[in-house]
Amino acid sequence: MGSRLTYLGAAAVGALAWTATEYGLHRFAMHEMKGKGLASREHLKHHADVTYFAPTSKKLLSAAGTTAVAFPLATAATDRRTATAFTSGLIAMYFGYEVAHRRTHTHPPKGAYGRWARRSHLHHHFGAPMRNFGVTSPVYDRLFGTYDDPGVVTVPRRMAPVWMVDEGGEVRPELAADYVVKGRPRAVALATDSPEGAAQAEQDRVDAFANVAPTAD
Ligand SMILES: [Zn+2]
Ligand SMILES: [Zn+2]
């Protein structure tokens, strides 16, 4: 049996291990799979329509799946209690990541980290879906050569987060150095009662499942 410090250390290592897991799952299990399997399908649906987030039931399923892989591996490497602490740290960070990811889409940036997280993740969505897989950190993208400096991110107006634009659909002045929005507003571009709206939704779906950035004109 280890000391309390051992368990705290194991939980911290688990939390750190999540950041690598986040990169690996996002890149290989979601994007490289192009819609094969539940995780990939749900994630690419989120790319086709950024207001779509997989329901909590599916996130719990994914946490259970991650535990089912991580816990036996950790148990093979160390004792049961330390392995439990490690897996708890990993899963806690997984839920932290889910919250952080959703917030990049729903809440305006606060501070330098929040600004980076949004520019980088929205570049992943709207500029280059096969770049910037890390949502909470750029470390693994830099390590594996998949990092782009987001620069000024061009966002299709129909997909612009509510925090980015004013009532007229223009970028809020304080965000003008980071984003440009183009094209028709969501209500027009994706009008559910028009064939053009249905065609646009279908095109967005096809692009998302091919890892192609959505059109922005
Ligand atoms: Zn996203
Ligand atoms: Zn993605």
Side-chain angles (χ1 to χ4, degrees):
M1 219 174 92
S3 69
R4 183 172 293 185
L5 204 63
T6 310
Y7 301 138
L8 270 177
V13 172
L16 268 181
W18 166 260
T19 62
T21 307
E22 172 192 316
Y23 179 90
L25 287 177
H26 188 190
R27 179 173 178 180
F28 299 107
M30 295 174 184
H31 283 282
E32 296 276 6
M33 293 292 279
K34 292 189 172 174
K36 285 195 285 299
L38 180 74
S40 181
R41 209 163 49 241
E42 288 295 311
H43 183 70
L44 297 178
K45 272 162 78 176
H46 165 62
H47 272 261
D49 177 1
V50 284
T51 63
Y52 176 79
F53 294 95
T56 307
S57 59
K58 287 182 178 153
K59 309 239 169 186
L60 290 173
L61 200 66
S62 134
T66 307
T67 306
V69 175
F71 186 64
L73 283 175
T75 312
T78 181
D79 65 273
R80 240 183 124 76
R81 281 180 168 226
T82 311
T84 303
F86 169 86
T87 309
S88 305
L90 182 83
I91 298 303
M93 270 301 273
Y94 166 67
F95 286 115
Y97 151 80
E98 287 289 359
V99 172
H101 171 232
R102 188 180 286 238
R103 284 185 73 89
T104 66
H105 289 285
T106 57
H107 288 65
K110 262 190 234 155
Y113 175 75
R115 182 180 172 209
W116 169 81
R118 281 157 186 76
R119 291 170 69 215
S120 176
H121 187 59
L122 295 180
H123 171 69
H124 166 75
H125 270 280
F126 305 129
M130 293 308 282
R131 312 285 291 174
N132 297 24
F133 296 105
V135 175
T136 58
S137 125
V139 168
Y140 302 93
D141 284 300
R142 288 190 184 278
L143 209 58
F144 297 114
T146 52
Y147 188 72
D148 283 344
D149 187 320
V152 179
V153 182
T154 299
V155 178
R157 192 173 268 108
R158 69 183 178 284
M159 294 184 174
V162 283
W163 53 261
M164 186 183 289
V165 291
D166 59 23
E167 285 91 79
E170 300 305 327
V171 176
R172 292 179 194 278
E174 68 271 25
L175 298 167
D178 293 345
Y179 303 101
V180 169
V181 292
K182 278 193 181 164
R184 294 167 303 164
R186 186 176 179 90
V188 177
L190 294 169
T192 45
D193 55 356
S194 81
E196 290 83 7
Q200 182 67 68
E202 176 57 16
Q203 187 58 51
D204 287 342
R205 206 193 63 81
V206 168
D207 287 341
F209 278 72
N211 293 318
V212 171
T215 53
D217 42 49

